[in-house]
Amino acid sequence: MTDTASTLALRSDVRTDGTLELSLREVPLPEPGPDEITVELEAAPLHPADISQLLGPADLLSGRHMGAGPDAKAVFRIPDDRFPSVAARVGRSLPVGNEGVGVVVAVGTRQLGLLGRTVSVMGGGMLARHRVVPASNALVLPEGTVPARGAAALINPLTLLSMIGTMREEGHRALVHTAAASSLGQMLNRVCLQDGIPLVNVVRRPEQVALLTAQGAVLVCDTSAPGFTRDLDDAVVAAGATLAFDAVGGGTLASQVLSAMERACSAGAAEYRRYGSTTHKQIYFYGGLDTRPVQLDRSYGMAWGVGGWLLFARLARTEPGVLAAMKARIAAELETTFATHFAAEISLADVMQDGHLDAIAKRSTRAKLLVNPKKSL
Ligand SMILES: NC(=O)c1ccc[n+]([C@@H]2O[C@H](COP(=O)([O-])OP(=O)(O)OC[C@H]3O[C@@H](n4cnc5c(N)ncnc54)[C@H](OP(=O)(O)O)[C@@H]3O)[C@@H](O)[C@H]2O)c1
């Protein structure tokens, strides 16, 4: 058992005065229940969803930084027009960090075999020195796995494997993926190449085309290229894609993807169809990297749908055997297919520093940071 009843954790608080405060707090650390484990965390990534939880709509330029080490704090103003989006957070101090990696230092009575093992874990609040989680939220890693390798082993890998599950269940045979040079996108590309799934990668910069092409991607379209619409049409036809997972979310991109799918489905039709192709085309928004409203021009007939897609909702419906198979694949391919690159390792207190916050707010794959809760503050 641990010799401490509390642990240090990073918290994000929205205040009634229209500010957001980041701080480190001593928070209670309960003893693990029969099927729980206590993990001493060694690394936790800052993914886009963690960054949204951390910073909300705070205006980073308004930041005031106070204290140092365990007493470090940062306070930001929330623009008035954005406050309603986080009003429900007032009075609810939020832990941050969806996943991490560490060593099991205490176990419940039914999990004795996990004591001392290195595990990847998910379940929120991972920007902390310790976390108590259900053992079912853990992936036991091979001996000797370095923390940076195990830190991002669950959320993104399980997400893309589950997306492929959705694709198969809903009768599609190919995918369109946006923000496709993301860490998740690079993994998805590797899995689709291995599994023979046609994939259209949509990126926003020429360097990202080069990056994915060098990793074997066959169909890559750059939204910044003058011929993007035609490139997307050609790629969607080549793939035969009728399903897209969109991490961008805002603006017109989803609509452009639906239009390309409709053109692909209507091509070669013997007669004009007033209500468009009868083949169902589907977009799932699974991220919100572009916070502008979504614009749909509905120029793709009537057989289409848009919806949200969330890993945790999907996992709640996943058969235990299917989940176990996904975890086994991740563990076996952790160093290759499911590897994530981190730009730097920082401490819990470093998260609140100006320079790091700027990098964090960019939500760029090349700037992805790893937080080491054991690093001195
Ligand atoms: N729904 C779910 O259950 C679920 C689960 C896991 C992940 N996700 C989502 O999956 C996405 C990828 O996660 P990750 O950890 O792999 O991300 P990541 O490695 O941090 O990469 C983010 C990518 O998004 C691009 N990007 C940032 N802002 C953008 C914008 N406004 N428009 C277009 N592209 C933009 C970046 O491109 P630049 O390099 O050009 O900035 C970068 O390639 C995120 O949106 C995350 O929230 C969702």
Side-chain angles (χ1 to χ4, degrees), residues 177-186 201-203 208-209 211-212 365:
H177 186 223
T178 69
S182 64
S183 312
L184 187 155
Q186 293 180 50
N201 298 277
V202 178
V203 299
Q208 293 169 332
V209 178
L211 177 100
L212 287 174
T365 310

Side-chain angles (χ1 to χ4, degrees), residues 45-371:
L46 278 167
H47 291 314
D50 306 316
I51 298 166
S52 298
Q53 176 106 323
L54 183 77
L55 300 176
D59 170 11
L60 291 193
L61 295 177
S62 71
R64 288 182 290 121
H65 300 265
M66 294 151 265
D71 300 319
K73 267 192 185 142
V75 179
F76 308 91
R77 205 177 58 77
I78 298 171
D80 291 346
D81 61 330
R82 305 295 306 280
F83 190 79
S85 68
V86 285
R89 285 183 53 173
V90 173
R92 294 175 192 172
S93 178
L94 289 192
V96 183
N98 272 314
E99 67 177 329
V101 65
V103 174
V104 179
V105 293
V107 289
T109 49
R110 288 200 285 263
Q111 300 298 332
L112 299 179
L114 288 178
L115 196 60
R117 298 301 304 266
T118 298
V119 289
S120 298
V121 278
M122 58 183 178
M126 298 297 166
L127 296 195
R129 292 222 162 123
H130 301 84
R131 268 290 276 141
V132 178
V133 291
S136 57
N137 283 15
L139 169 66
V140 180
L141 298 175
E143 287 303 318
T145 306
V146 296
R149 228 3 127 227
L154 286 169
I155 303 280
N156 282 344
L158 285 174
T159 297
L160 69 96
L161 292 173
S162 300
M163 286 172 171
I164 291 171
T166 296
M167 177 195 82
R168 294 202 168 110
E169 272 171 32
E170 297 186 4
H172 304 274
R173 61 179 187 86
L175 291 172
V176 177
H177 186 223
T178 69
S182 64
S183 312
L184 187 155
Q186 293 180 50
M187 292 178 197
L188 179 64
N189 178 50
R190 292 190 279 265
V191 168
C192 285
L193 288 171
Q194 282 174 30
D195 295 4
I197 299 166
L199 173 67
V200 178
N201 298 277
V202 178
V203 299
R204 66 170 176 177
R205 292 187 286 111
E207 303 90 290
Q208 293 169 332
V209 178
L211 177 100
L212 287 174
T213 306
Q215 295 181 17
V218 182
L219 302 168
V220 190
C221 306
D222 176 4
T223 55
S224 73
F228 171 65
T229 304
R230 191 193 54 239
D231 294 347
L232 185 63
D233 279 357
D234 292 347
V236 168
V237 168
T242 45
L243 173 64
F245 283 95
D246 181 15
V248 174
T252 58
L253 184 57
S255 202
Q256 287 173 283
V257 171
L258 282 169
S259 294
M261 289 175 177
E262 174 63 14
R263 282 192 286 272
C265 292
S266 301
E271 59 195 41
Y272 170 74
R273 291 198 192 115
R274 184 176 165 201
Y275 298 113
S277 142
T278 53
T279 306
H280 184 77
K281 300 152 286 285
Q282 178 72 36
I283 301 261
Y284 285 118
F285 295 113
Y286 83 102
L289 292 162
D290 182 337
T291 54
R292 291 174 301 163
V294 177
Q295 289 177 51
L296 298 175
D297 69 15
R298 299 195 293 120
S299 62
Y300 13 83
M302 298 302 259
W304 55 274
V306 295
W309 191 99
L310 186 68
L311 173 66
F312 299 112
R314 170 88 196 170
L315 287 182
R317 294 184 280 114
T318 301
E319 295 286 329
V322 173
L323 179 59
M326 290 195 288
K327 284 185 171 179
R329 181 171 184 182
I330 294 165
E333 300 174 34
L334 204 52
E335 303 286 340
T336 52
T337 315
F338 300 107
T340 298
H341 173 76
F342 295 100
E345 185 184 280
I346 61 174
S347 73
L348 282 172
D350 289 341
V351 173
M352 287 169 274
Q353 276 181 14
D354 236 352
H356 292 310
L357 281 168
D358 285 346
I360 290 167
K362 285 199 174 86
R363 293 168 170 82
S364 170
T365 310
R366 289 163 307 159
K368 196 182 273 282
L369 294 174
L370 192 62
V371 180

